[in-house]
Amino acid sequence: MTPRPLAALAVLLALPSAPLAQEIPPMSPLGSGTGTPVLVQPAPLPPVAAEPTPAPARPEGVTATLTAPRRVTGRVPLTLTLKSSRAVPVTFGVTHDNDQNCAFAPTVRVLRVGTREVVYPVPGASPRICTQELMSRTVPARGSTTFTRELDLPAGEYMVEGWFAGFGNKLQVKVPAQPVRVTVQ
């Protein structure tokens, strides 16, 4: 291209476009009550990373044992024993569990033997609305405490998994126990 067309192109590019060349009415500041109000869009906030909820810890020196009769007719009694080998007392607290028919503890999951079918808590069932009472028990140094509950299961062979899920000295804890096998007649 020759210098003359380049200069003409530069002049055209420097001119404002037609809509921008129109006069824009002046706007008054907010709160003055005159003129056109100024609409201010807040700047989007940067995404805030949610702090991950810490996983419940297993307190050092505390174990759990789940017991139930091997064969039973009717309701299945369960006992979860928390035993501490610590030299200081430990206070355990637990609330009603909405997914466990408002039981305090132990938390359980029941599987039909020979399958992975979960029998309890009932899959897809709506959780119950329970009161938010807090039950606490203090385990003396090198001592133990128990939590009991009953399950109403139909006749069959089951593996019952159980654990304590609550608070230990005001920290969220989970103490698992070995599963037990139960035959309901």
Side-chain angles (χ1 to χ4, degrees), residues 36-89:
T36 307
V38 176
L39 299 177
V40 177
Q41 289 283 342
L45 297 174
V48 176
E51 290 185 28
T53 304
R58 181 175 175 179
E60 189 174 323
V62 177
T63 59
T65 305
L66 182 67
T67 56
R70 178 65 181 92
R71 295 187 187 286
V72 67
T73 302
R75 297 175 65 84
V76 180
L78 298 172
T79 301
L80 182 83
T81 303
L82 293 178
K83 186 174 182 181
S84 173
S85 63
R86 298 173 73 164
V88 295

mmCIF file of all heavy atoms in Angstrom, residues 36-89:
data_model
loop_
_atom_site.group_PDB
_atom_site.id
_atom_site.type_symbol
_atom_site.label_atom_id
_atom_site.label_comp_id
_atom_site.label_asym_id
_atom_site.label_seq_id
_atom_site.Cartn_x
_atom_site.Cartn_y
_atom_site.Cartn_z
ATOM 1 N N THR A 36 -30.714 11.261 36.452
ATOM 2 C CA THR A 36 -30.894 9.839 36.247
ATOM 3 C C THR A 36 -30.086 9.081 37.294
ATOM 4 O O THR A 36 -28.922 9.388 37.519
ATOM 5 C CB THR A 36 -30.399 9.447 34.839
ATOM 6 O OG1 THR A 36 -31.049 10.290 33.893
ATOM 7 C CG2 THR A 36 -30.704 8.002 34.542
ATOM 8 N N PRO A 37 -30.700 8.080 37.953
ATOM 9 C CA PRO A 37 -29.944 7.338 38.970
ATOM 10 C C PRO A 37 -28.831 6.520 38.320
ATOM 11 O O PRO A 37 -28.937 6.066 37.194
ATOM 12 C CB PRO A 37 -30.985 6.423 39.613
ATOM 13 C CG PRO A 37 -32.079 6.319 38.605
ATOM 14 C CD PRO A 37 -32.053 7.592 37.801
ATOM 15 N N VAL A 38 -27.782 6.356 39.036
ATOM 16 C CA VAL A 38 -26.644 5.573 38.578
ATOM 17 C C VAL A 38 -26.837 4.151 39.100
ATOM 18 O O VAL A 38 -27.029 3.931 40.290
ATOM 19 C CB VAL A 38 -25.322 6.156 39.122
ATOM 20 C CG1 VAL A 38 -24.156 5.289 38.715
ATOM 21 C CG2 VAL A 38 -25.141 7.579 38.629
ATOM 22 N N LEU A 39 -26.823 3.206 38.197
ATOM 23 C CA LEU A 39 -26.940 1.804 38.589
ATOM 24 C C LEU A 39 -25.546 1.246 38.732
ATOM 25 O O LEU A 39 -24.756 1.280 37.796
ATOM 26 C CB LEU A 39 -27.738 1.013 37.552
ATOM 27 C CG LEU A 39 -29.172 1.495 37.332
ATOM 28 C CD1 LEU A 39 -29.826 0.685 36.231
ATOM 29 C CD2 LEU A 39 -29.968 1.387 38.613
ATOM 30 N N VAL A 40 -25.244 0.775 39.884
ATOM 31 C CA VAL A 40 -23.907 0.252 40.158
ATOM 32 C C VAL A 40 -24.016 -1.250 40.358
ATOM 33 O O VAL A 40 -24.769 -1.713 41.206
ATOM 34 C CB VAL A 40 -23.312 0.916 41.417
ATOM 35 C CG1 VAL A 40 -21.965 0.330 41.733
ATOM 36 C CG2 VAL A 40 -23.246 2.415 41.240
ATOM 37 N N GLN A 41 -23.296 -1.997 39.564
ATOM 38 C CA GLN A 41 -23.233 -3.450 39.715
ATOM 39 C C GLN A 41 -22.045 -3.771 40.620
ATOM 40 O O GLN A 41 -20.944 -3.341 40.351
ATOM 41 C CB GLN A 41 -23.021 -4.123 38.353
ATOM 42 C CG GLN A 41 -24.219 -4.071 37.442
ATOM 43 C CD GLN A 41 -25.272 -5.078 37.842
ATOM 44 O OE1 GLN A 41 -25.009 -6.018 38.561
ATOM 45 N NE2 GLN A 41 -26.485 -4.852 37.378
ATOM 46 N N PRO A 42 -22.271 -4.493 41.688
ATOM 47 C CA PRO A 42 -21.131 -4.836 42.532
ATOM 48 C C PRO A 42 -20.200 -5.781 41.785
ATOM 49 O O PRO A 42 -20.634 -6.602 40.986
ATOM 50 C CB PRO A 42 -21.762 -5.532 43.743
ATOM 51 C CG PRO A 42 -23.100 -5.975 43.281
ATOM 52 C CD PRO A 42 -23.514 -5.034 42.177
ATOM 53 N N ALA A 43 -18.939 -5.614 42.043
ATOM 54 C CA ALA A 43 -17.954 -6.497 41.422
ATOM 55 C C ALA A 43 -18.135 -7.892 41.987
ATOM 56 O O ALA A 43 -18.384 -8.061 43.176
ATOM 57 C CB ALA A 43 -16.545 -5.993 41.708
ATOM 58 N N PRO A 44 -18.041 -8.901 41.140
ATOM 59 C CA PRO A 44 -18.198 -10.263 41.659
ATOM 60 C C PRO A 44 -17.064 -10.591 42.626
ATOM 61 O O PRO A 44 -15.918 -10.207 42.415
ATOM 62 C CB PRO A 44 -18.139 -11.138 40.410
ATOM 63 C CG PRO A 44 -17.484 -10.300 39.368
ATOM 64 C CD PRO A 44 -17.763 -8.874 39.721
ATOM 65 N N LEU A 45 -17.444 -11.264 43.685
ATOM 66 C CA LEU A 45 -16.447 -11.662 44.665
ATOM 67 C C LEU A 45 -15.719 -12.899 44.171
ATOM 68 O O LEU A 45 -16.313 -13.759 43.523
ATOM 69 C CB LEU A 45 -17.114 -11.965 46.008
ATOM 70 C CG LEU A 45 -17.812 -10.787 46.670
ATOM 71 C CD1 LEU A 45 -18.550 -11.262 47.915
ATOM 72 C CD2 LEU A 45 -16.807 -9.722 47.031
ATOM 73 N N PRO A 46 -14.454 -12.992 44.485
ATOM 74 C CA PRO A 46 -13.737 -14.203 44.073
ATOM 75 C C PRO A 46 -14.311 -15.396 44.829
ATOM 76 O O PRO A 46 -14.783 -15.245 45.961
ATOM 77 C CB PRO A 46 -12.288 -13.925 44.480
ATOM 78 C CG PRO A 46 -12.381 -12.867 45.528
ATOM 79 C CD PRO A 46 -13.616 -12.079 45.224
ATOM 80 N N PRO A 47 -14.293 -16.566 44.217
ATOM 81 C CA PRO A 47 -14.844 -17.730 44.906
ATOM 82 C C PRO A 47 -14.038 -18.023 46.174
ATOM 83 O O PRO A 47 -12.823 -17.909 46.190
ATOM 84 C CB PRO A 47 -14.711 -18.870 43.889
ATOM 85 C CG PRO A 47 -13.708 -18.383 42.896
ATOM 86 C CD PRO A 47 -13.738 -16.891 42.919
ATOM 87 N N VAL A 48 -14.773 -18.347 47.216
ATOM 88 C CA VAL A 48 -14.136 -18.660 48.482
ATOM 89 C C VAL A 48 -14.148 -20.170 48.632
ATOM 90 O O VAL A 48 -15.192 -20.802 48.547
ATOM 91 C CB VAL A 48 -14.902 -18.001 49.655
ATOM 92 C CG1 VAL A 48 -14.296 -18.392 50.985
ATOM 93 C CG2 VAL A 48 -14.927 -16.500 49.482
ATOM 94 N N ALA A 49 -13.000 -20.714 48.846
ATOM 95 C CA ALA A 49 -12.907 -22.163 49.031
ATOM 96 C C ALA A 49 -13.479 -22.510 50.395
ATOM 97 O O ALA A 49 -13.111 -21.915 51.403
ATOM 98 C CB ALA A 49 -11.458 -22.620 48.931
ATOM 99 N N ALA A 50 -14.413 -23.443 50.409
ATOM 100 C CA ALA A 50 -15.003 -23.886 51.668
ATOM 101 C C ALA A 50 -13.958 -24.671 52.448
ATOM 102 O O ALA A 50 -13.242 -25.493 51.885
ATOM 103 C CB ALA A 50 -16.222 -24.757 51.402
ATOM 104 N N GLU A 51 -13.904 -24.373 53.725
ATOM 105 C CA GLU A 51 -12.963 -25.115 54.555
ATOM 106 C C GLU A 51 -13.499 -26.526 54.722
ATOM 107 O O GLU A 51 -14.661 -26.713 55.083
ATOM 108 C CB GLU A 51 -12.811 -24.454 55.917
ATOM 109 C CG GLU A 51 -12.093 -23.131 55.851
ATOM 110 C CD GLU A 51 -11.843 -22.564 57.235
ATOM 111 O OE1 GLU A 51 -11.727 -23.349 58.196
ATOM 112 O OE2 GLU A 51 -11.783 -21.338 57.341
ATOM 113 N N PRO A 52 -12.674 -27.511 54.460
ATOM 114 C CA PRO A 52 -13.165 -28.882 54.609
ATOM 115 C C PRO A 52 -13.450 -29.191 56.079
ATOM 116 O O PRO A 52 -12.734 -28.745 56.964
ATOM 117 C CB PRO A 52 -12.010 -29.741 54.070
ATOM 118 C CG PRO A 52 -10.807 -28.867 54.186
ATOM 119 C CD PRO A 52 -11.285 -27.449 54.050
ATOM 120 N N THR A 53 -14.530 -29.921 56.287
ATOM 121 C CA THR A 53 -14.859 -30.345 57.636
ATOM 122 C C THR A 53 -13.908 -31.459 58.019
ATOM 123 O O THR A 53 -13.763 -32.437 57.281
ATOM 124 C CB THR A 53 -16.308 -30.873 57.689
ATOM 125 O OG1 THR A 53 -17.163 -29.845 57.202
ATOM 126 C CG2 THR A 53 -16.704 -31.259 59.090
ATOM 127 N N PRO A 54 -13.236 -31.308 59.144
ATOM 128 C CA PRO A 54 -12.290 -32.363 59.512
ATOM 129 C C PRO A 54 -13.021 -33.675 59.773
ATOM 130 O O PRO A 54 -14.117 -33.676 60.337
ATOM 131 C CB PRO A 54 -11.626 -31.830 60.783
ATOM 132 C CG PRO A 54 -12.552 -30.793 61.306
ATOM 133 C CD PRO A 54 -13.310 -30.252 60.133
ATOM 134 N N ALA A 55 -12.427 -34.750 59.330
ATOM 135 C CA ALA A 55 -13.019 -36.068 59.548
ATOM 136 C C ALA A 55 -12.944 -36.397 61.032
ATOM 137 O O ALA A 55 -11.991 -36.009 61.711
ATOM 138 C CB ALA A 55 -12.266 -37.119 58.739
ATOM 139 N N PRO A 56 -13.954 -37.088 61.540
ATOM 140 C CA PRO A 56 -13.894 -37.472 62.946
ATOM 141 C C PRO A 56 -12.644 -38.311 63.206
ATOM 142 O O PRO A 56 -12.277 -39.167 62.407
ATOM 143 C CB PRO A 56 -15.157 -38.306 63.152
ATOM 144 C CG PRO A 56 -16.046 -37.973 62.011
ATOM 145 C CD PRO A 56 -15.155 -37.549 60.886
ATOM 146 N N ALA A 57 -12.002 -38.054 64.310
ATOM 147 C CA ALA A 57 -10.780 -38.770 64.659
ATOM 148 C C ALA A 57 -11.108 -39.913 65.617
ATOM 149 O O ALA A 57 -12.126 -39.898 66.301
ATOM 150 C CB ALA A 57 -9.794 -37.818 65.321
ATOM 151 N N ARG A 58 -10.245 -40.875 65.650
ATOM 152 C CA ARG A 58 -10.364 -41.949 66.628
ATOM 153 C C ARG A 58 -9.467 -41.564 67.793
ATOM 154 O O ARG A 58 -8.251 -41.425 67.629
ATOM 155 C CB ARG A 58 -9.920 -43.271 66.023
ATOM 156 C CG ARG A 58 -10.054 -44.416 66.989
ATOM 157 C CD ARG A 58 -9.733 -45.719 66.334
ATOM 158 N NE ARG A 58 -9.751 -46.777 67.306
ATOM 159 C CZ ARG A 58 -9.518 -48.017 67.008
ATOM 160 N NH1 ARG A 58 -9.248 -48.356 65.768
ATOM 161 N NH2 ARG A 58 -9.556 -48.931 67.942
ATOM 162 N N PRO A 59 -10.044 -41.351 68.976
ATOM 163 C CA PRO A 59 -9.219 -40.912 70.099
ATOM 164 C C PRO A 59 -8.199 -41.978 70.491
ATOM 165 O O PRO A 59 -8.520 -43.167 70.544
ATOM 166 C CB PRO A 59 -10.225 -40.650 71.214
ATOM 167 C CG PRO A 59 -11.465 -41.346 70.814
ATOM 168 C CD PRO A 59 -11.434 -41.506 69.330
ATOM 169 N N GLU A 60 -7.016 -41.521 70.747
ATOM 170 C CA GLU A 60 -5.927 -42.440 71.101
ATOM 171 C C GLU A 60 -6.244 -43.137 72.428
ATOM 172 O O GLU A 60 -6.717 -42.519 73.378
ATOM 173 C CB GLU A 60 -4.619 -41.652 71.239
ATOM 174 C CG GLU A 60 -3.398 -42.536 71.389
ATOM 175 C CD GLU A 60 -2.121 -41.713 71.376
ATOM 176 O OE1 GLU A 60 -2.062 -40.724 70.622
ATOM 177 O OE2 GLU A 60 -1.209 -42.075 72.121
ATOM 178 N N GLY A 61 -6.024 -44.435 72.456
ATOM 179 C CA GLY A 61 -6.232 -45.197 73.677
ATOM 180 C C GLY A 61 -7.670 -45.597 73.944
ATOM 181 O O GLY A 61 -7.983 -46.080 75.028
ATOM 182 N N VAL A 62 -8.573 -45.394 72.984
ATOM 183 C CA VAL A 62 -9.986 -45.755 73.167
ATOM 184 C C VAL A 62 -10.369 -46.795 72.120
ATOM 185 O O VAL A 62 -10.091 -46.624 70.937
ATOM 186 C CB VAL A 62 -10.900 -44.515 73.042
ATOM 187 C CG1 VAL A 62 -12.363 -44.917 73.155
ATOM 188 C CG2 VAL A 62 -10.552 -43.474 74.102
ATOM 189 N N THR A 63 -10.997 -47.877 72.557
ATOM 190 C CA THR A 63 -11.463 -48.926 71.654
ATOM 191 C C THR A 63 -12.953 -49.161 71.884
ATOM 192 O O THR A 63 -13.497 -48.801 72.927
ATOM 193 C CB THR A 63 -10.703 -50.247 71.895
ATOM 194 O OG1 THR A 63 -10.892 -50.653 73.252
ATOM 195 C CG2 THR A 63 -9.220 -50.103 71.585
ATOM 196 N N ALA A 64 -13.584 -49.786 70.897
ATOM 197 C CA ALA A 64 -15.008 -50.101 70.992
ATOM 198 C C ALA A 64 -15.217 -51.582 70.713
ATOM 199 O O ALA A 64 -14.545 -52.168 69.855
ATOM 200 C CB ALA A 64 -15.807 -49.270 69.993
ATOM 201 N N THR A 65 -16.159 -52.170 71.440
ATOM 202 C CA THR A 65 -16.538 -53.567 71.238
ATOM 203 C C THR A 65 -18.055 -53.628 71.130
ATOM 204 O O THR A 65 -18.773 -53.125 72.005
ATOM 205 C CB THR A 65 -16.080 -54.444 72.420
ATOM 206 O OG1 THR A 65 -14.675 -54.273 72.605
ATOM 207 C CG2 THR A 65 -16.380 -55.913 72.166
ATOM 208 N N LEU A 66 -18.543 -54.235 70.034
ATOM 209 C CA LEU A 66 -19.976 -54.410 69.821
ATOM 210 C C LEU A 66 -20.333 -55.845 70.165
ATOM 211 O O LEU A 66 -19.678 -56.780 69.701
ATOM 212 C CB LEU A 66 -20.336 -54.107 68.360
ATOM 213 C CG LEU A 66 -21.808 -54.203 67.985
ATOM 214 C CD1 LEU A 66 -22.606 -53.103 68.688
ATOM 215 C CD2 LEU A 66 -21.974 -54.076 66.472
ATOM 216 N N THR A 67 -21.382 -56.024 70.970
ATOM 217 C CA THR A 67 -21.820 -57.377 71.322
ATOM 218 C C THR A 67 -23.321 -57.503 71.087
ATOM 219 O O THR A 67 -24.073 -56.538 71.227
ATOM 220 C CB THR A 67 -21.512 -57.718 72.801
ATOM 221 O OG1 THR A 67 -22.112 -56.750 73.636
ATOM 222 C CG2 THR A 67 -20.018 -57.779 73.051
ATOM 223 N N ALA A 68 -23.714 -58.724 70.715
ATOM 224 C CA ALA A 68 -25.117 -59.080 70.505
ATOM 225 C C ALA A 68 -25.217 -60.589 70.619
ATOM 226 O O ALA A 68 -24.239 -61.306 70.371
ATOM 227 C CB ALA A 68 -25.587 -58.628 69.123
ATOM 228 N N PRO A 69 -26.381 -61.122 70.993
ATOM 229 C CA PRO A 69 -26.519 -62.573 71.028
ATOM 230 C C PRO A 69 -26.377 -63.147 69.618
ATOM 231 O O PRO A 69 -26.767 -62.515 68.642
ATOM 232 C CB PRO A 69 -27.932 -62.807 71.570
ATOM 233 C CG PRO A 69 -28.548 -61.474 71.762
ATOM 234 C CD PRO A 69 -27.575 -60.427 71.386
ATOM 235 N N ARG A 70 -25.788 -64.330 69.526
ATOM 236 C CA ARG A 70 -25.588 -64.963 68.209
ATOM 237 C C ARG A 70 -26.930 -65.342 67.594
ATOM 238 O O ARG A 70 -27.124 -65.215 66.403
ATOM 239 C CB ARG A 70 -24.681 -66.195 68.365
ATOM 240 C CG ARG A 70 -24.432 -66.981 67.114
ATOM 241 C CD ARG A 70 -23.657 -66.139 66.094
ATOM 242 N NE ARG A 70 -23.425 -66.879 64.880
ATOM 243 C CZ ARG A 70 -24.230 -66.865 63.824
ATOM 244 N NH1 ARG A 70 -25.328 -66.148 63.821
ATOM 245 N NH2 ARG A 70 -23.941 -67.565 62.747
ATOM 246 N N ARG A 71 -27.867 -65.843 68.393
ATOM 247 C CA ARG A 71 -29.205 -66.195 67.924
ATOM 248 C C ARG A 71 -30.217 -65.510 68.828
ATOM 249 O O ARG A 71 -30.053 -65.477 70.045
ATOM 250 C CB ARG A 71 -29.430 -67.710 67.985
ATOM 251 C CG ARG A 71 -28.539 -68.487 67.061
ATOM 252 C CD ARG A 71 -28.940 -69.961 67.039
ATOM 253 N NE ARG A 71 -28.006 -70.773 66.297
ATOM 254 C CZ ARG A 71 -27.890 -70.797 64.985
ATOM 255 N NH1 ARG A 71 -28.662 -70.040 64.255
ATOM 256 N NH2 ARG A 71 -27.011 -71.561 64.397
ATOM 257 N N VAL A 72 -31.273 -64.980 68.201
ATOM 258 C CA VAL A 72 -32.267 -64.251 68.972
ATOM 259 C C VAL A 72 -33.638 -64.401 68.322
ATOM 260 O O VAL A 72 -33.740 -64.554 67.103
ATOM 261 C CB VAL A 72 -31.867 -62.753 69.106
ATOM 262 C CG1 VAL A 72 -31.921 -62.054 67.783
ATOM 263 C CG2 VAL A 72 -32.715 -62.024 70.117
ATOM 264 N N THR A 73 -34.669 -64.384 69.157
ATOM 265 C CA THR A 73 -36.041 -64.345 68.680
ATOM 266 C C THR A 73 -36.599 -63.000 69.100
ATOM 267 O O THR A 73 -36.523 -62.636 70.276
ATOM 268 C CB THR A 73 -36.875 -65.475 69.317
ATOM 269 O OG1 THR A 73 -36.263 -66.724 68.994
ATOM 270 C CG2 THR A 73 -38.296 -65.465 68.795
ATOM 271 N N GLY A 74 -37.115 -62.250 68.146
ATOM 272 C CA GLY A 74 -37.646 -60.918 68.458
ATOM 273 C C GLY A 74 -36.602 -59.834 68.239
ATOM 274 O O GLY A 74 -35.770 -59.926 67.332
ATOM 275 N N ARG A 75 -36.631 -58.819 69.092
ATOM 276 C CA ARG A 75 -35.731 -57.678 68.950
ATOM 277 C C ARG A 75 -34.283 -58.071 69.284
ATOM 278 O O ARG A 75 -34.048 -58.920 70.135
ATOM 279 C CB ARG A 75 -36.191 -56.535 69.837
ATOM 280 C CG ARG A 75 -37.592 -56.031 69.411
ATOM 281 C CD ARG A 75 -38.140 -54.970 70.337
ATOM 282 N NE ARG A 75 -37.383 -53.736 70.328
ATOM 283 C CZ ARG A 75 -37.537 -52.745 69.449
ATOM 284 N NH1 ARG A 75 -38.420 -52.871 68.487
ATOM 285 N NH2 ARG A 75 -36.833 -51.650 69.541
ATOM 286 N N VAL A 76 -33.344 -57.414 68.588
ATOM 287 C CA VAL A 76 -31.915 -57.703 68.757
ATOM 288 C C VAL A 76 -31.303 -56.675 69.713
ATOM 289 O O VAL A 76 -31.206 -55.494 69.369
ATOM 290 C CB VAL A 76 -31.166 -57.658 67.405
ATOM 291 C CG1 VAL A 76 -29.697 -57.953 67.598
ATOM 292 C CG2 VAL A 76 -31.804 -58.591 66.396
ATOM 293 N N PRO A 77 -30.874 -57.107 70.911
ATOM 294 C CA PRO A 77 -30.213 -56.170 71.821
ATOM 295 C C PRO A 77 -28.744 -55.993 71.418
ATOM 296 O O PRO A 77 -28.036 -56.959 71.156
ATOM 297 C CB PRO A 77 -30.328 -56.860 73.186
ATOM 298 C CG PRO A 77 -30.419 -58.314 72.869
ATOM 299 C CD PRO A 77 -31.079 -58.422 71.518
ATOM 300 N N LEU A 78 -28.302 -54.741 71.351
ATOM 301 C CA LEU A 78 -26.915 -54.429 71.006
ATOM 302 C C LEU A 78 -26.271 -53.641 72.141
ATOM 303 O O LEU A 78 -26.908 -52.781 72.743
ATOM 304 C CB LEU A 78 -26.840 -53.584 69.735
ATOM 305 C CG LEU A 78 -27.374 -54.190 68.452
ATOM 306 C CD1 LEU A 78 -27.401 -53.142 67.345
ATOM 307 C CD2 LEU A 78 -26.511 -55.365 68.038
ATOM 308 N N THR A 79 -25.014 -53.935 72.397
ATOM 309 C CA THR A 79 -24.256 -53.199 73.404
ATOM 310 C C THR A 79 -22.927 -52.791 72.794
ATOM 311 O O THR A 79 -22.207 -53.633 72.250
ATOM 312 C CB THR A 79 -24.005 -54.059 74.658
ATOM 313 O OG1 THR A 79 -25.261 -54.458 75.196
ATOM 314 C CG2 THR A 79 -23.215 -53.286 75.707
ATOM 315 N N LEU A 80 -22.616 -51.506 72.876
ATOM 316 C CA LEU A 80 -21.316 -51.006 72.433
ATOM 317 C C LEU A 80 -20.573 -50.554 73.681
ATOM 318 O O LEU A 80 -21.060 -49.709 74.430
ATOM 319 C CB LEU A 80 -21.468 -49.826 71.468
ATOM 320 C CG LEU A 80 -20.138 -49.301 70.940
ATOM 321 C CD1 LEU A 80 -19.681 -50.142 69.752
ATOM 322 C CD2 LEU A 80 -20.245 -47.851 70.539
ATOM 323 N N THR A 81 -19.408 -51.142 73.906
ATOM 324 C CA THR A 81 -18.590 -50.788 75.064
ATOM 325 C C THR A 81 -17.398 -49.973 74.604
ATOM 326 O O THR A 81 -16.650 -50.412 73.711
ATOM 327 C CB THR A 81 -18.098 -52.059 75.795
ATOM 328 O OG1 THR A 81 -19.237 -52.834 76.168
ATOM 329 C CG2 THR A 81 -17.274 -51.712 77.022
ATOM 330 N N LEU A 82 -17.239 -48.780 75.168
ATOM 331 C CA LEU A 82 -16.056 -47.954 74.924
ATOM 332 C C LEU A 82 -15.112 -48.154 76.096
ATOM 333 O O LEU A 82 -15.505 -47.989 77.254
ATOM 334 C CB LEU A 82 -16.420 -46.474 74.812
ATOM 335 C CG LEU A 82 -17.250 -46.060 73.615
ATOM 336 C CD1 LEU A 82 -17.575 -44.569 73.686
ATOM 337 C CD2 LEU A 82 -16.529 -46.378 72.318
ATOM 338 N N LYS A 83 -13.883 -48.530 75.782
ATOM 339 C CA LYS A 83 -12.889 -48.786 76.815
ATOM 340 C C LYS A 83 -11.705 -47.860 76.595
ATOM 341 O O LYS A 83 -11.197 -47.743 75.473
ATOM 342 C CB LYS A 83 -12.438 -50.243 76.774
ATOM 343 C CG LYS A 83 -11.521 -50.624 77.897
ATOM 344 C CD LYS A 83 -11.216 -52.099 77.894
ATOM 345 C CE LYS A 83 -10.328 -52.432 79.078
ATOM 346 N NZ LYS A 83 -9.990 -53.846 79.092
ATOM 347 N N SER A 84 -11.269 -47.211 77.672
ATOM 348 C CA SER A 84 -10.154 -46.275 77.591
ATOM 349 C C SER A 84 -8.949 -46.822 78.341
ATOM 350 O O SER A 84 -9.072 -47.290 79.471
ATOM 351 C CB SER A 84 -10.552 -44.924 78.187
ATOM 352 O OG SER A 84 -9.438 -44.061 78.249
ATOM 353 N N SER A 85 -7.783 -46.736 77.710
ATOM 354 C CA SER A 85 -6.531 -47.105 78.386
ATOM 355 C C SER A 85 -5.779 -45.844 78.798
ATOM 356 O O SER A 85 -4.635 -45.923 79.236
ATOM 357 C CB SER A 85 -5.668 -47.971 77.465
ATOM 358 O OG SER A 85 -5.302 -47.227 76.316
ATOM 359 N N ARG A 86 -6.431 -44.710 78.685
ATOM 360 C CA ARG A 86 -5.797 -43.430 79.011
ATOM 361 C C ARG A 86 -5.718 -43.238 80.527
ATOM 362 O O ARG A 86 -6.540 -43.759 81.279
ATOM 363 C CB ARG A 86 -6.572 -42.284 78.376
ATOM 364 C CG ARG A 86 -6.581 -42.404 76.846
ATOM 365 C CD ARG A 86 -7.462 -41.418 76.205
ATOM 366 N NE ARG A 86 -6.838 -40.090 76.292
ATOM 367 C CZ ARG A 86 -7.197 -39.048 75.570
ATOM 368 N NH1 ARG A 86 -8.175 -39.164 74.701
ATOM 369 N NH2 ARG A 86 -6.597 -37.915 75.706
ATOM 370 N N ALA A 87 -4.748 -42.445 80.967
ATOM 371 C CA ALA A 87 -4.547 -42.186 82.393
ATOM 372 C C ALA A 87 -5.449 -41.070 82.915
ATOM 373 O O ALA A 87 -5.414 -40.767 84.109
ATOM 374 C CB ALA A 87 -3.086 -41.837 82.650
ATOM 375 N N VAL A 88 -6.235 -40.471 82.037
ATOM 376 C CA VAL A 88 -7.151 -39.396 82.436
ATOM 377 C C VAL A 88 -8.561 -39.752 81.977
ATOM 378 O O VAL A 88 -8.742 -40.473 80.993
ATOM 379 C CB VAL A 88 -6.719 -38.030 81.830
ATOM 380 C CG1 VAL A 88 -5.388 -37.590 82.392
ATOM 381 C CG2 VAL A 88 -6.668 -38.100 80.333
ATOM 382 N N PRO A 89 -9.579 -39.245 82.663
ATOM 383 C CA PRO A 89 -10.952 -39.521 82.234
ATOM 384 C C PRO A 89 -11.236 -38.908 80.863
ATOM 385 O O PRO A 89 -10.636 -37.913 80.470
ATOM 386 C CB PRO A 89 -11.809 -38.842 83.306
ATOM 387 C CG PRO A 89 -10.906 -38.575 84.451
ATOM 388 C CD PRO A 89 -9.528 -38.468 83.903
#
